[in-house]
């Protein structure tokens, strides 16, 4: 399906543009998997917190 | 009744847009009859001080080609903007950044390192590099400063019209001249080209857009009748404005996107990621991985002419204080 192909290609391009690929995550969750949804969102939120706000000048190396 | 005044200028450019104007062949005489060319560095001998001496808005039409990447280019862009009633971003570089904007994948320091020190063909043992100021016996020499980031014309001054293309095709140039001469210029902000995508205008046979592998142009000799995308060749047609007359397609080469994004598309590169990934057939992790590997340089391929005009405008600068 298209999303499954678009996201990996997008990540490759984002890496070329110096954007941390960890800022993009693709997962599939069904409506009946509430717990799993919560886990994924929490994980992603924490990941983004670690990365910090997106800053035009400077990747995560500079903080 | 005085003839309207026409100016042309080249910033970070290759000269192709000026050649395109000359390519109008005998029609250049019609242009010369229609207007007084008051500034055109490649062809006519007027200098910057002639432009500075003009009254504001005394130039009727300015065709500005080339991107902005130095203090000199920025200064002249602003000068011509002050002196011109109508400013046209002429050619892909002025409109979107063009090929020079590929420098936005790097920065001035890396470019200088490569060009003046590392390049294999260099013969520069003394490590000479251009400096902003140099003292010589005759006085002080000055050079313009290069920016880290290549800009489009519109990112520096307001622009009324856009004529895309690398270079713009002769018939679009003549269309612009004709619209101007007959007083029928479109609303400000218009792109003088087609409102459809190149894909829409392409006359090749289109069947089903499904490919199982991607080919780079040197890996395959395409069938000249069939859609290039359907043969696995990356063609930017789906997300590129039309109006170019399909010059590349008719040479059996894929579209490279020099007319920029079609109406309604803000970021050409993102749209192309979407389009190319959509037509690839493969759902397993392996097939997807194969597709990503076959697409050797998505950023360079999809932003070949439009990096400066994209949403991100450039690759992230690593230092916390970039110039732009």
């Amino acid at each position: 399906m298209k999303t499954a192909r678009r996201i990996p290609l997008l990540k490759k391009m984002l890496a070329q543009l110096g954007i941390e690929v960890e800022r993009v995550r693709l997962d599939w969750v069904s409506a009946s998997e509430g717990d799993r949804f919560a886990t994924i969102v929490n994980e992603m939120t924490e990941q983004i917190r670690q990365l910090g706000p997106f800053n035009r000048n400077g990747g995560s190396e500079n903080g | 009744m005085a003839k309207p005044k026409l100016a042309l200028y080249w910033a970070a450019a290759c000269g192709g847009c000026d050649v395109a104007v000359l390519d109008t062949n005998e029609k250049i005489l019609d242009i010369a009859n229609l207007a007084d060319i008051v500034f055109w560095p490649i062809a006519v001998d007027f200098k910057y001080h002639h432009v500075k001496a003009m009254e504001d808005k005394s130039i009727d039409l300015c065709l500005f080609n080339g991107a902005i990447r130095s203090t000199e280019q920025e200064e002249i862009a602003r000068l011509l903007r002050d002196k011109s009633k109508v400013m046209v971003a002429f050619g892909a570089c002025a409109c979107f950044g063009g090929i020079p904007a590929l420098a936005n994948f790097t920065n001035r320091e890396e470019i200088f390192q490569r060009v003046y020190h590392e390049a294999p063909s260099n013969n520069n043992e003394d490590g000479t590099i251009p400096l902003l100021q140099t003292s010589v016996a005759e006085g002080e020499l000055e050079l313009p400063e290069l920016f880290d980031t290549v800009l489009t014309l519109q990112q520096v001054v307001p622009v009324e019209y856009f004529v895309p293309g690398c270079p713009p095709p002769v018939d679009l140039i003549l269309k612009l001249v004709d619209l101007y001469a007959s007083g029928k210029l479109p609303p400000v902000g218009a792109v003088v080209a087609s409102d459809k995508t190149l894909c829409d205008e392409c006359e090749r046979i289109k069947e089903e857009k499904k490919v199982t592998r991607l080919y780079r142009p040197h890996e395959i000799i395409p069938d000249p009748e069939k859609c290039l995308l359907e043969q696995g060749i990356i063609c930017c047609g789906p997300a590129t404005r039309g109006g170019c007359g399909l010059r590349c397609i008719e040479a059996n080469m894929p579209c490279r996107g020099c007319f920029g994004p079609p109406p309604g598309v803000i970021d050409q590169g993102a749209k192309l990621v979407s389009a190319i990934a959509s037509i690839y057939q493969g759902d397993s992790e392996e097939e997807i991985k194969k597709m990503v590997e076959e697409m050797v340089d998505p950023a360079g391929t999809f932003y070949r002419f439009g990096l400066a005009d994209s949403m991100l405008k450039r690759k992230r600068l690593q230092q916390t204080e970039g110039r732009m």
Side-chain angles (χ1 to χ4, degrees), chain B residues 69-133:
Chain B
R69 70 183 307 175
S70 81
T71 48
E72 175 181 5
Q73 290 154 4
E74 181 182 358
E75 186 193 328
I76 302 304
R78 292 190 194 285
L79 174 67
L80 284 168
R81 173 71 274 188
D82 284 342
K83 306 296 180 186
S84 305
K85 285 203 192 76
V86 176
M87 190 84 148
V88 177
F90 191 81
C93 295
C95 290
F96 319 114
I99 297 293
L102 290 173
N104 287 357
F105 281 119
T106 176
N107 58 40
R108 179 183 55 222
E109 194 186 312
E110 279 182 14
I111 290 176
F112 270 47
Q113 244 330 91
R114 173 71 188 170
V115 169
Y116 295 107
H117 300 297
E118 295 168 2
S121 55
N122 273 4
N123 182 6
N124 186 15
E125 280 168 18
D126 293 335
T128 308
I129 59 168
L131 297 173
L132 295 181
Q133 274 198 312

Side-chain angles (χ1 to χ4, degrees), chain B residues 276-288:
Chain B
I276 302 303
S278 297
I279 63 166
Y280 201 93
Q281 295 310 295
D283 289 327
S284 73
E285 216 178 286
E286 258 165 46
E287 284 166 322
I288 295 176

Side-chain angles (χ1 to χ4, degrees), chain A residues 1 5-6 16 55 58 62, chain B residues 277-278 283 297 316-318:
Chain A
M1 74 132 91
R5 296 191 293 270
R6 285 174 177 160
Q16 285 184 284
N55 182 358
N62 295 331
Chain B
S278 297
D283 289 327
D297 176 12
R316 210 119 156 258
L317 282 166
Q318 284 311 302

Side-chain angles (χ1 to χ4, degrees), chain A residues 1-2 4-6 8-10 12-14 16-20 23 54-62, chain B residues 105 273-274 277-278 280 282-283 288 291-292 295-299 303 311-312 315-320:
Chain A
M1 74 132 91
K2 291 182 187 180
R5 296 191 293 270
R6 285 174 177 160
L9 189 55
L10 178 66
K12 181 170 180 175
M13 195 164 87
L14 289 176
Q16 285 184 284
L17 290 163
I19 295 176
E20 305 94 332
R23 293 190 186 270
F54 176 72
N55 182 358
R56 256 186 203 281
N57 295 334
S60 47
E61 295 88 347
N62 295 331
Chain B
F105 281 119
V273 166
S274 180
S278 297
Y280 201 93
D283 289 327
I288 295 176
M291 174 199 76
V292 174
M295 186 62 239
V296 170
D297 176 12
Y303 288 116
M311 286 178 81
L312 287 169
K315 177 179 175 181
R316 210 119 156 258
L317 282 166
Q318 284 311 302
Q319 64 271 28
T320 44

Side-chain angles (χ1 to χ4, degrees), chain A:
Chain A
M1 74 132 91
K2 291 182 187 180
T3 308
R5 296 191 293 270
R6 285 174 177 160
I7 297 296
L9 189 55
L10 178 66
K11 282 178 144 182
K12 181 170 180 175
M13 195 164 87
L14 289 176
Q16 285 184 284
L17 290 163
I19 295 176
E20 305 94 332
V21 297
E22 296 82 20
R23 293 190 186 270
V24 180
R25 175 171 173 167
L26 179 65
D27 248 305
W28 271 272
V29 182
S30 97
S32 61
E33 297 180 288
D35 274 348
R36 204 167 152 254
F37 180 77
T39 306
I40 292 173
V41 172
N42 287 334
E43 277 173 11
M44 186 61 171
T45 307
E46 189 46 43
Q47 188 161 287
I48 299 296
R49 266 206 194 102
Q50 303 279 357
L51 287 169
F54 176 72
N55 182 358
R56 256 186 203 281
N57 295 334
S60 47
E61 295 88 347
N62 295 331

